[in-house]
Each structure stands twice: as structure tokens, then as C-alpha cells.
């Protein structure tokens, strides 16, 4: 379905100036502000950020999961040519699962504990088409087999508590993919899992993506997972995107001081051991009292290099610095690159 | 220095079992979860021993047993020369000056109704110690030392962020100048930029006060950053223990190899071409662990002998202990090449070992506090609600 006036060659998902704000007793929580993104078909975009950065709220907005009674959502979200914001609830319901599906961090709280996993999967089928119970069960069985559940004919009648964490996440993935959606949003899908199980689930998501050609948004705080699965990365901080780049570029030539700070603060097994880590000083900003200028300014080591104190008073824009590479920072591009290469060299040297 | 080699903690053949009870009216003991099953190690003065393992490996139970927060079933625990397993709760009190704990969840580890000053000052009051200059001055000095504003003495935990709360927990733990601090996943609930702050703080405090740490964590990169030696646990047993450089550069146990290969490296150039060992299946039941080597059901090296004979923990090089019949110096061809040679064709499920017959069903396992503390997401809501109806 193409909207008149829009070119046929549009990105699969395009978000324009998304804003989500929750009024609370303490003031307006601006969880997401001015987020613009686009993803091409079949690609994997990782959204990285720490808690409170707005990454999960962005995902929920795409899924239409933000309750309009308690929050205001502004901006545009175009999914395959269709505008999602303002769509009636019934239309959204038809879209969820069939077009976009989501898996969550904790599979135990997203699976219903009273129902057998097979019934939960067939319920997802029935939400979008009417087929015979027997056929639905066969579909569920086949999907459980595809996501690597051993002996699915026995597991299909299990309750969620009878499965391990990794198995539950496989069930969630089976449920998400049962209606052959075009896009999968994975919100910290492996955070609750052990590394060896995480490896299994990441393998699974990548192989299913190759098989079904789905577009994936991977929301995570783990820069290792990003390096593993993503084609492109958007870094979020304080409710906005502060840097977007192809994965290789983001790690080799990050320009936003926050991205650089993240890369220097993680301990890395592939590097010589440094005596001290270089953490980002301070704490993330409160979403109610955001800094007036750049939201990262209070923790930024380089803001005094910007003439006129612009970092303190002017919100920087997300601007292109190279093809596909956008940065939200007042520092001149040349200086950003110099700082970045200096820091990365020190890190690589393991001094 | 003679103090370098002094042992602050020695754990010998520690076993901690939890009873499994039936669901009926008479809750008979029908089995045991062998959470920790014969673990021995020591921690020297001003040394950090990292204890890594996945959930269900028993690492947290080891941590809690060391401080007698759970009573071990058997074995010895010697803290600073004193055997403590036979002591009553009351007799343990003086020992607690020497050994303290930092918990994983900075939200649940602090009483929300107590002020920060009250929380950090509690160890002095409980132990009946009057620090020079008074409790308030001592607490404020501690707050300053761990990076908190001393003026926040009268604030409550909910006014602090996760990283700041962990600093409160650390200040409380170092208040009595203990010799040993058991850190149970102290940074895993924190954001990465805050993690680094806390790791640096723990290191600084170690140097300043000569602290020994038993550092329990699942994040191998974090453990590498802070530990002098590392012990790897699986299903209640130590698999491998070695100096840090050895365990990361030259591991011998197949499980250590798998763990290291599973950690994604934050560098797309390295990570995208990297092969990893994808362990198949899940952790077996600790109620009915596999015979012989507990890791054999998921091991790429497993042979006949592994199912019959429990591999002892042997010192293969100075300080390098391995419990494996077939240790791996270099990975055999075809192992860990999941990326280059995918075992799975599209649409074909991965081959997985079937659970051995006679194993206790996961239903019974899942309602147990397998890691030694009740995990409410694992309780069986269906059963309870059904009963209450």
C-alpha cells in the first residue's frame, strides 16, 4: 500500500521527528524527542543506549504500544509506506504480529503462565486468520522445530515454567515469527540469558533473518552484540539519537563523545589489559530536567572546546558528517575525528 | 612480602545441598539440589579471585556459603585462620568484621526506610564499635571516599541512582575495614558507563585497604579486568582455575573455551569473522547431574570415559588447575567454526542431545531456588493460583 505523494522507493521503516512524553506528578518526562531513523528492507539496525536513553520507548512507539491516555506521541512513523501514528486501534492490531513482531527481554513475563506454549502460539495465528485448530497446531509445531526446540511434539504442551530461559526465548521467537512478519523488534532479547545461551539465540535470530529476509531492530546495551549482528547502529542518549553510522564506521571512527565514552568504558577481552577503565563521569540526565543545551554536555570532557559555550545553551542537531554517518555534536567535525582517533589509539595500545 | 602469600580465605571440599520437597501435604524430601558439590580454593591477602559461571553453576551459593549466609552441608571454610563452619550465628558475629558482602541488586540490598547514614553506619552499631570521631564522621568520610556527597547523609536510597546505591553498598561493606569482601555480581545491574566507575572504585579500595575479593560474576570481560586469578564453575563443580593471563590466553577446559568464545567482542571487524562454540542444550538438572564429568552432556570432547569417571581437579602447571580427562590446548578442527561452517542448514533444526532418561523433569527443577535464593519469576504461578481457587 503506497500513500499518494510518496515515492515508491521508500525505506522499509521511516521514523520522522518522533517524540514521546509522559506527564507525571514531578513534571513532563520527555522519554523520546526528535528521533528520526530509517531502515532498509532486510537490514539489521541496532539501537544502543543505557537505561533511560529512550530506546525501548522508541520500539514501543513503533509497535503502537504506547498508551495514548498517559502519553503524547508526536511525529511520523512510516512502515512500508503506511503511517502508523494516529492509526485506529483495530488497524494497529492487524499490523502487530502480521507486519511487525516484537520479542522482549524477559520471556517469562511475556509468556502467559497459565497457558500451554502451543496454545499461545496458535492464539497468535488465530489473531490474524481463521484456520482449523489442527492446522494451527501443525504450524506451531513446525515453527517450534525451526527455532530449535528439541522434541517439539512433547514441548508444545508444556507450560512456560517447564522450559528453561533459553527455551522460553525460542518460544517467544516462534510466536513472533508465526505470522511471517516483515520486521522483528528484539528488545534486549538476550540480557536475561547466559552467554552460551545468548550465543545460541543470536545465531538463531541471524539464521532466521537470512531465511525469512526480515528486517530486524535489535535494542541492546551490549556493544559486543551490536558488533555481532548489526548492519547499522543508532546510539541513543537522553531520549535522542546522538550518532548513527554503519556498524564498522561506528567502532572505527566514532565522532560523538558519548559513543567514544562508551567504547572506552567497557572492559574488553581482545585487548591488552589496561590498569584502569575510563568511565564516563557522572550520571545520565533526568528526563524531567534535561540540560538546556546538549543533553550530554554535563558529562562531556570536550564541551569547553566549543566557542561561546554553545553546548550549554544550544541543542545540537543530528547532522551528516559522511554518507550514512550522522552526529549530534557542536564540535567541528575535524576536531571530533582528531579526539576520537587519539582516544582509540590509546585504547588499542592498552596503555 | 610475606603478607602477599597469606591466605585470607580457604575453602576446602565445600558442599551445599538444598532439599527438594514433594508438593503434597507432607512435604517429603525427595531429592537434593547439589548447588555446590566439592569446591576448594583459596584467596590470598589483597588478592581478587574471580568466580565465573552461568546461572545454576553454584557461584552465588559459594559466595553465600563462604559467609555462612547459607549453611554448607559439609566442608571447611577458614577465614583469616579461623574455621567457621561449626560456629553458631552468635559466634559468627566477630567473624563478620573480617568478611563482608556486596550484593548484586543495589535496589533490594538497601532498606528503603533507612537513611544512607543509617545504612552505612549500621555495621558500627551492630558490632558495637565506636570509630574515632564518632559514627557520623566516620560514615561521612566513607561517603566521601566512595564518591558520594557527605551532605546526603540523611537522604533515603530512593533518591539515588543505581550506581550511587552500589556506592552506598560498598561504603557499608568497607566500614569495618574487613579483610575479605565477597562481591556477588556487583556491577551486573549497572549501565556500562557506571560499571567502569564501580570497577575502578573497587580496585582503588583494594589498594588502599589491602582488601581481598571473592568476585562472583558472569561477565568474563569484567572479571578479567579486576581479578588476579579466575575460577570457572559449572553445575556445582570447579572446572578450571588459573592466573588471569592463563585462563584468558591459554585455557584448557572445553567449557572455558566455550564460555570465552561465546562472549561477543565489541569490534565488528573481529566479531563478524569470529567463530564460536555454540554449546547445545541447557544446563542439566543439579538434582540429577550427569554421571562422571558434569559437563560431558554438552562437551565437544566427551568420550566414554567422561561418563564413568569424575575428572579430578589437577594442577597441570603452577597455579593452573583443570578438571578434565581431555583438556584442550588448541581447539580441534571443526570446533568453534559455527560461522564458517554452519551446522544448521536453513530450516533444519540444530541437533541437540536428548535429556537422559530418569532425569528429574524440568518442572520440578524450575520451582526450586537453584541459585540458593528464591527467584520469584521461577515459581509456579499456575499451581499456586489453582490451589488458592
Amino acid at each position: 500500500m503506497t500513500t499518494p505523494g510518496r515515492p515508491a522507493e521508500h525505506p522499509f521503516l521511516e521514523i520522522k521527528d518522533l517524540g514521546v512524553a509522559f506527564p507525571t506528578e514531578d513534571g513532563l518526562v520527555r522519554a523520546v524527542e526528535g528521533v528520526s531513523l530509517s531502515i532498509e528492507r532486510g537490514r539489521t539496525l541496532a539501537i544502543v543506549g543505557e537505561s533511560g536513553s529512550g530506546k525501548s520507548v522508541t520500539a514501543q512507539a513503533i509497535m503502537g504500544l504506547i498508551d495514548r491516555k498517559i502519553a503524547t506521541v508526536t511525529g511520523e512513523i512510516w512502515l512500508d509506506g503506511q503511517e502508523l501514528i494516529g492509526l485506529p486501534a483495530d488497524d494497529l492490531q492487524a499490523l502487530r504480529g502480521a507486519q511487525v513482531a516484537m520479542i522482549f527481554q524477559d520471556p517469562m513475563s511475556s509468556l502467559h503462565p497459565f497457558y500451554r506454549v502451543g496454545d499461545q502460539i496458535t492464539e497468535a495465528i488465530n489473531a490474524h486468520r481463521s484456520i482449523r485448530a489442527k492446522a494451527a497446531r501443525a504450524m506451531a509445531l513446525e515453527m517450534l522445530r525451526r527455532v530449535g526446540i528439541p522434541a517439539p511434539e512433547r514441548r508444545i504442551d508444556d507450560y512456560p515454567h517447564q522450559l528453561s530461559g533459553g527455551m522460553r526465548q525460542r518460544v517467544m521467537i516462534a510466536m513472533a515469527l508465526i505470522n511471517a512478519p516483515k520486521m522483528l523488534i528484539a528488545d534486549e532479547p538476550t540480557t536475561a540469558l547466559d552467554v552460551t545461551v545468548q550465543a545460541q539465540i543470536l545465531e538463531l535470530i541471524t539464521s532466521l533473518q537470512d531465511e525469512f529476509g526480515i528486517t530486524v531492530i535489535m535494542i541492546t546495551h551490549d556493544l559486543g552484540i551490536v558488533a555481532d549482528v548489526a548492519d547499522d547502529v543508532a546510539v541513543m542518549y537522553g531520549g535522542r539519537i546522538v550518532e548513527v553510522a554503519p556498524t564498522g564506521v561506528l567502532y572505527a571512527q566514532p565522532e560523538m563523545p558519548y559513543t567514544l565514552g562508551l567504547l572506552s568504558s567497557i572492559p574488553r577481552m581482545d585487548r591488552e589489559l589496561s590498569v584502569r577503565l575510563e568511565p564516563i563521569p557522572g550520571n545520565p540526565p533526568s528526563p524531567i530536567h534535561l540540560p538546556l543545551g546538549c543533553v550530554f554536555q554535563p558529562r562531556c570532557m570536550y564541551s569547553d572546546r566549543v566557542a561561546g559555550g554553545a553546548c550549554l545553551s544550544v541543542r545540537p542537531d543530528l547532522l551528516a558528517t559522511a554518507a550514512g554517518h550522522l552526529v549530534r555534536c557542536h564540535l567541528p567535525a575535524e576536531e571530533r575525528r582528531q579526539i576520537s582517533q587519539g582516544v582509540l589509539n590509546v585504547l588499542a595500545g592498552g596503555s | 612480602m610475606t603478607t602477599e602469600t597469606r591466605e585470607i580465605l580457604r575453602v576446602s571440599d565445600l558442599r551445599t545441598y538444598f532439599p527438594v520437597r514433594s508438593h503434597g501435604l507432607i512435604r517429603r524430601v525427595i531429592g537434593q539440589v547439589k548447588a555446590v558439590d566439592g569446591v576448594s580454593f583459596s584467596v590470598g591477602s589483597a588478592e581478587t579471585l574471580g568466580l565465573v559461571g552461568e546461572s545454576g553453576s553454584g557461584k552465588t551459593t559459594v559466595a553465600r556459603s563462604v559467609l555462612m549466609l547459607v549453611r554448607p552441608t559439609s566442608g571447611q571454610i577458614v577465614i583469616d585462620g579461623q574455621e567457621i563452619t561449626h560456629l553458631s550465628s552468635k559466634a559468627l558475629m566477630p567473624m563478620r568484621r573480617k568478611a563482608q558482602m556486596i550484593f548484586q541488586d543495589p535496589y533490594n540490598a538497601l532498606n528503603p526506610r533507612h537513611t544512607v547514614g543509617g545504612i552505612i553506619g549500621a555495621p558500627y552499631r551492630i558490632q558495637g564499635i565506636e570509630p574515632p570521631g564518632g559514627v557520623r564522621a566516620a560514615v561521612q568520610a566513607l561517603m566521601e571516599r566512595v564518591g558520594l556527597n557527605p551532605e546526603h547523609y540523611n537522604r533515603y536510597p530512593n533518591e539515588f541512582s543505581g550506581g550511587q546505591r552500589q556506592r552506598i553498598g560498598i561504603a557499608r561493606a568497607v566500614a569495618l575495614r574487613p579483610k575479605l569482601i565477597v562481591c556477588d555480581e556487583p556491577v551486573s545491574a549497572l549501565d556500562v558507563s557506571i560499571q567502569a566507575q564501580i570497577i575502578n572504585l573497587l580496585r582503588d579500595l583494594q589498594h588502599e585497604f589491602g582488601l581481598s575479593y571473592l568476585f562472583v560474576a558472569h561477565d568474563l570481560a569484567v572479571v578479567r579486568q579486576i581479578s588476579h586469578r579466575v575460577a570457572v564453575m559449572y553445575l556445582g563443580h570447579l572446572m578450571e582455575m588459573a592466573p588471569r593471563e592463563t585462563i584468558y590466553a591459554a585455557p584448557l577446559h572445553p567449557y572455558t573455551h566455550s564460555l570465552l568464545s561465546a562472549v561477543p567482542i565489541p569490534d565488528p571487524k573481529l566479531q563478524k569473522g569470529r567463530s564460536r562454540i555454540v554449546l547445545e542444550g541447557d544446563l542439566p538438572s543439579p538434582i540429577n547431574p550427569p554421571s562422571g564429568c558434569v559437563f560431558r552432556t554438552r562437551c565437544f570432547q566427551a568420550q566414554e570415559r567422561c561418563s564413568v569417571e569424575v575428572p579430578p581437579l589437577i594442577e597441570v602447571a603452577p597455579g593452573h588447575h583443570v578438571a578434565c580427562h581431555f583438556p584442550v590446548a588448541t581447539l580441534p578442527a571443526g570446533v568453534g567454526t559455527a560461522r564458517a561452517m554452519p551446522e544448521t542448514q536453513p530450516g533444519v533444526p540444530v541437533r541437540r542431545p536428548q535429556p537422559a532418561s530418569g532425569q528429574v523433569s524440568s518442572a520440578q527443577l524450575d520451582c526450586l531456588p537453584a541459585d540458593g535464593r528464591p527467584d520469584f519469576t521461577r515459581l509456579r504461578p499456575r499451581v499456586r493460583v489453582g490451589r488458592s481457587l
Side-chain angles (χ1 to χ4, degrees):
Chain A
M1 176 173 134
T2 317
T3 315
R6 289 179 59 80
E9 284 297 307
H10 48 74
F12 180 67
L13 177 79
E14 193 167 17
I15 302 174
K16 286 182 183 171
D17 203 26
L18 177 72
V20 181
F22 300 87
T24 67
E25 276 178 18
D26 301 322
L28 192 65
V29 173
R30 281 181 287 260
V32 168
E33 252 186 312
V35 163
S36 299
L37 269 179
S38 65
I39 311 168
E40 302 295 334
R41 215 171 288 270
R43 307 267 293 178
T44 300
L45 171 81
I47 303 181
V48 210
E50 299 181 277
S51 34
S53 62
K55 54 190 194 304
S56 291
V57 173
T58 304
Q60 285 164 13
I62 300 171
M63 290 295 288
L65 294 176
I66 308 265
D67 188 346
R68 308 300 282 272
K69 291 192 206 83
I70 58 163
T72 53
V73 182
T74 53
E76 301 166 35
I77 299 174
W78 294 86
L79 180 78
D80 209 6
Q82 189 180 12
E83 160 70 299
L84 300 188
I85 291 183
L87 211 60
D90 287 353
D91 294 4
L92 261 180
Q93 192 62 42
L95 221 68
R96 265 185 230 130
Q99 293 276 342
V100 198
M102 189 160 176
I103 53 176
F104 299 88
Q105 172 174 345
D106 181 0
M108 193 55 195
S109 47
S110 353
L111 288 169
H112 198 299
F114 296 5
Y115 292 96
R116 299 172 194 278
V117 294
D119 293 345
Q120 300 193 45
I121 298 176
T122 48
E123 188 190 359
I125 304 173
N126 291 327
H128 291 284
R129 59 193 128 162
S130 47
I131 64 170
R132 286 179 180 279
K134 215 172 166 183
R137 189 179 163 89
M139 274 180 75
L141 199 62
E142 174 55 24
M143 191 50 88
L144 286 176
R145 182 170 293 123
R146 278 193 170 180
V147 297
I149 303 257
E153 55 289 333
R154 275 196 298 142
R155 290 307 200 174
I156 193 167
D157 290 322
D158 275 356
Y159 289 94
H161 74 266
Q162 293 174 290
L163 304 173
S164 68
M167 287 295 163
R168 285 181 205 140
Q169 198 57 287
R170 285 174 195 272
V171 169
M172 280 302 296
I173 294 172
M175 200 188 299
L177 296 183
I178 194 78
N179 289 307
K182 296 185 181 128
M183 186 160 92
L184 178 70
I185 302 176
D187 189 357
E188 303 262 10
T190 59
T191 306
L193 306 175
D194 285 316
V195 278
T196 57
V197 182
Q198 166 173 293
Q200 293 173 356
I201 297 292
L202 292 178
E203 277 311 298
L204 175 69
I205 293 177
T206 334
S207 75
L208 291 172
Q209 183 180 20
D210 292 346
E211 188 183 343
F212 295 102
I214 40 181
T215 310
V216 174
I217 297 183
M218 175 73 75
I219 294 168
T220 179
H221 66 276
D222 186 329
L223 288 161
I225 294 176
V226 175
D228 194 30
V229 302
D231 299 312
D232 302 286
V233 193
V235 182
M236 286 192 75
Y237 185 81
R240 55 211 73 213
I241 292 176
V242 294
E243 185 158 12
V244 183
T247 308
V249 173
L250 190 94
Y251 287 79
Q253 295 142 15
E255 291 198 18
M256 171 71 196
Y258 174 64
T259 314
L260 202 56
L262 276 186
L263 286 170
S264 4
S265 56
I266 41 174
R268 293 183 51 158
M269 298 203 317
D270 58 317
R271 293 266 168 87
E272 293 264 316
L273 205 63
S274 54
V275 179
R276 289 180 71 81
L277 297 167
E278 291 299 331
I280 305 173
N283 290 295
S286 148
I288 299 173
H289 307 288
L290 284 171
L292 283 176
C294 171
V295 286
F296 185 59
Q297 183 276 327
R299 302 177 76 188
C300 183
M301 285 188 278
Y302 309 104
S303 65
D304 53 355
R305 298 196 190 187
V306 175
C311 299
L312 280 165
S313 52
V314 183
R315 289 258 154 97
D317 289 322
L318 189 65
L319 299 172
T321 179
H325 190 178
L326 308 172
V327 182
R328 191 187 289 278
C329 182
H330 283 307
L331 280 165
E334 199 45 50
E335 192 161 355
R336 289 198 303 251
R337 286 177 201 141
Q338 258 177 26
I339 291 170
S340 157
Q341 286 319 309
V343 171
L344 292 183
N345 286 341
V346 170
L347 283 181
S351 67
Chain B
M1 265 196 329
T2 49
T3 50
E4 280 296 318
T5 50
R6 226 184 80 209
E7 270 180 15
I8 291 300
L9 171 69
R10 165 151 287 283
V11 172
S12 313
D13 201 27
L14 178 73
R15 285 166 211 272
T16 307
Y17 298 168
F18 297 102
V20 182
R21 294 179 190 279
S22 62
H23 287 298
L25 196 62
I26 307 160
R27 295 174 48 77
R28 280 180 303 124
V29 175
I30 53 169
Q32 282 176 320
V33 174
K34 298 179 175 176
V36 179
D37 201 9
V39 164
S40 305
F41 60 86
S42 66
V43 183
S45 173
E47 185 193 41
T48 303
L49 175 70
L51 186 58
V52 298
E54 300 182 278
S55 41
S57 64
K59 58 188 192 303
T60 297
T61 306
V62 168
R64 299 175 81 91
S65 301
V66 160
L67 294 183
M68 297 287 284
L69 299 178
V70 290
R71 292 244 161 207
T73 309
S74 70
Q76 276 87 51
I77 296 162
V78 179
I79 291 180
D80 200 25
Q82 193 189 2
E83 213 288 314
I84 60 163
T85 49
H86 65 279
L87 296 178
S88 66
S89 305
K90 209 171 169 188
L92 277 168
M93 284 295 281
M95 184 279 296
R96 301 213 181 276
R97 285 181 209 179
K98 291 181 185 166
Q100 288 283 319
M101 187 150 180
I102 298 169
F103 297 91
Q104 170 171 8
D105 185 345
Y107 294 85
N108 289 332
L110 306 177
N111 189 328
R113 288 165 185 267
H114 290 189
T115 62
V116 170
I119 290 168
I120 302 175
Y124 296 120
R125 281 195 304 280
I126 292 168
Q127 294 283 347
I129 293 173
E130 183 68 22
V135 170
R136 189 185 174 103
V139 168
Q140 289 189 323
L142 274 168
M143 288 176 73
E144 181 124 43
R145 179 61 201 87
V146 299
L148 294 166
N149 185 347
E151 287 168 20
H152 296 166
Y153 186 86
N154 284 320
R155 294 202 180 182
Y156 289 89
N158 68 333
E159 298 174 67
F160 294 86
S161 69
Q164 287 170 319
R165 286 183 210 205
Q166 201 53 297
R167 290 176 195 270
I168 297 170
I170 292 170
R172 175 175 62 183
V174 299
L176 299 171
R177 302 287 184 273
K179 296 200 162 130
L180 172 73
I181 296 185
V182 176
C183 313
D184 186 11
E185 300 269 12
V187 298
S188 58
L190 307 175
D191 278 320
V192 278
S193 70
I194 309 297
Q195 263 191 8
Q197 296 175 0
I198 299 297
I199 292 170
N200 283 346
L201 174 63
L202 287 172
R203 274 185 87 113
D204 294 346
L205 292 172
Q206 177 164 53
H207 289 302
E208 200 171 321
F209 300 129
L211 296 168
S212 303
Y213 291 136
L214 175 61
F215 192 93
V216 177
H218 69 278
D219 186 325
L220 288 139
V222 165
V223 167
R224 175 174 179 256
Q225 187 67 33
I226 199 158
S227 307
H228 301 103
R229 288 186 302 128
V230 178
V232 180
M233 272 190 88
Y234 183 83
L235 211 65
H237 294 256
L238 277 189
M239 299 281 110
E240 186 162 13
M241 181 159 62
R244 172 181 60 201
E245 298 75 21
T246 314
I247 211 111
Y248 287 92
L252 287 175
H253 200 286
Y255 180 59
T256 315
H257 279 289
S258 329
L259 272 184
L260 290 172
S261 84
V263 180
I265 285 176
D267 183 340
K269 274 192 303 223
L270 292 172
Q271 181 61 23
K272 290 235 158 88
R274 198 163 155 247
S275 60
R276 64 180 154 210
I277 306 163
V278 177
L279 283 186
E280 300 192 344
D282 293 309
L283 198 72
S285 158
I287 300 171
N288 196 353
S291 63
C293 173
V294 287
F295 183 57
R296 70 176 166 84
T297 53
R298 301 172 78 194
C299 182
F300 54 87
Q301 283 285 90
Q303 295 180 32
E304 193 67 42
R305 187 179 165 198
C306 304
S307 65
V308 189
E309 213 180 305
V310 179
L313 192 69
I314 296 170
E315 187 162 13
V316 291
H320 191 176
H321 305 257
V322 185
C324 182
H325 294 307
F326 306 101
V328 187
T330 45
L331 289 172
V335 169
T337 48
R339 273 297 161 84
M341 296 195 296
E343 270 184 78
T344 42
Q345 290 157 3
V348 179
V350 183
R351 174 180 50 85
R352 255 152 242 295
Q354 298 297 312
S357 57
Q359 226 169 309
V360 176
S361 83
S362 53
Q364 274 168 295
L365 172 62
D366 264 343
C367 53
L368 297 167
D371 55 0
R373 57 193 160 180
D375 177 352
F376 291 102
T377 60
R378 297 190 130 207
L379 293 175
R380 303 177 65 179
R382 181 178 64 91
V383 170
R384 297 211 151 197
V385 171
R387 223 177 253 160
S388 62
L389 288 173

